[in-house]
Amino acid sequence: MTFTIVARCPETELLGVCLATSPLAVASRCPHVRGGVAAISSQCHSDWRHGLTGLELASKGWSPDEILVALRHKDPFFDYRQIGIVTADGRAAAHSPINGAAYTGHRVGDGFVAMGNGLAGQQVVDAIHDSFAANAALPFFERLVRAIEAGAAAGGEPIGHKSAGLIACAPGVERPLVDLRIDMANPLPAEGGDAVRDLRRVFDAYEPLVPYYADYWLEHPDVSYAQYLDLGAQDRERPTVM
């Protein structure tokens, strides 16, 4: 009961996952991203062990298809899982389970996977895929968020979206550049709320600060985030990890 974009940016080599779902705290268990290695989402009766194993195998050079075969061999409940994998070299693959709630499916693009389960229909996956493919000129984080917004606009999960998340990592950097989580929509979907809208609100506020928290503040302890935002573009040092 989750819809997701898993992707790599060929220009920046960033890897990321953006997703939304009807249960709570989806970003605490489904996405697994390691800069320079892979981005993975394990969902539809998610198994966090698949994310960790997938990252370890990707770090050894395994392809997404090889990783999926290995995960199938070790998991007797594999046909309850949906998994999307994109490695640092842009290879991508996905598995959608025969036991997923209708509608369950995926599409693999050039360096990305659009997928979901428990959806209003195939149009949700198509909207995610087409949005990400069409917005190649946009910054990577924005592309990810827009893809999930497109999926929500196409129907998303009919029962609503209680949680959402965005995580993106750069090669050679241990911490994510972006790790935003809407663990519980406020208000809840039954009261008119939507975690995808909440994610957009938080992302728009945080996005200008990504360079600040990436490394600017490490060397400028006297500059607050509010002061940083007041600086002109020419006075802001771009982070070395972007």
Side-chain angles (χ1 to χ4, degrees):
M1 295 173 289
T2 304
F3 53 102
T4 305
I5 181 77
V6 183
R8 171 187 181 267
C9 176
E11 286 76 28
T12 64
E13 299 184 350
L14 292 166
L15 291 161
V17 176
C18 192
L19 71 176
T21 192
S22 55
L24 298 174
V26 65
S28 71
R29 59 186 179 276
C30 292
H32 302 265
V33 186
R34 187 184 302 169
V37 177
I40 300 172
S41 186
S42 168
Q43 54 197 53
C44 189
H45 204 87
S46 62
D47 187 336
W48 54 266
R49 295 170 296 183
H50 287 342
L52 299 181
T53 299
L55 290 178
E56 182 61 26
L57 294 177
S59 72
K60 297 177 180 179
W62 288 42
S63 73
D65 286 319
E66 291 170 332
I67 293 169
L68 288 175
V69 170
L71 296 179
R72 175 180 285 279
H73 284 167
K74 68 176 291 187
D75 183 2
F77 304 108
F78 192 71
D79 277 321
Y80 288 86
R81 327 286 191 198
Q82 186 174 48
I83 303 172
I85 305 172
V86 178
T87 50
D89 57 7
R91 290 177 291 177
H95 164 74
S96 289
I98 59 174
N99 294 318
Y103 166 81
T104 294
H106 67 265
R107 288 180 65 184
V108 177
D110 183 8
F112 69 94
V113 172
M115 64 181 185
N117 56 89
L119 306 179
Q122 180 179 336
Q123 73 273 11
V124 178
V125 172
D126 289 341
I128 295 169
H129 175 282
D130 294 348
S131 170
F132 191 81
N135 287 314
L138 293 177
F140 184 60
F141 311 139
E142 178 70 24
R143 285 181 78 188
L144 294 172
V145 175
R146 287 200 188 189
I148 290 306
E149 289 178 324
E157 282 194 60
I159 59 176
H161 315 127
K162 284 184 182 175
S163 67
L166 168 66
I167 180 170
C169 297
V173 183
E174 293 185 9
R175 65 178 293 275
L177 289 182
V178 177
D179 190 353
L180 304 180
R181 302 182 177 197
I182 307 300
D183 288 335
M184 185 171 72
N186 184 21
L188 290 170
E191 301 164 339
D194 189 291
V196 176
R197 290 201 304 265
D198 291 346
L199 180 63
R200 166 56 72 180
R201 175 178 54 83
V202 173
F203 172 74
D204 284 348
Y206 187 80
E207 192 275 336
L209 293 169
V210 171
Y212 176 76
Y213 286 121
D215 64 7
Y216 182 91
W217 77 329
L218 301 179
E219 306 298 333
H220 300 82
D222 56 330
V223 180
S224 70
Y225 73 84
Q227 291 170 326
Y228 175 82
L229 292 176
D230 286 338
L231 292 175
Q234 68 276 11
D235 296 321
R236 298 180 185 174
E237 295 179 13
R238 300 302 297 174
T240 58
V241 297
M242 293 290 281

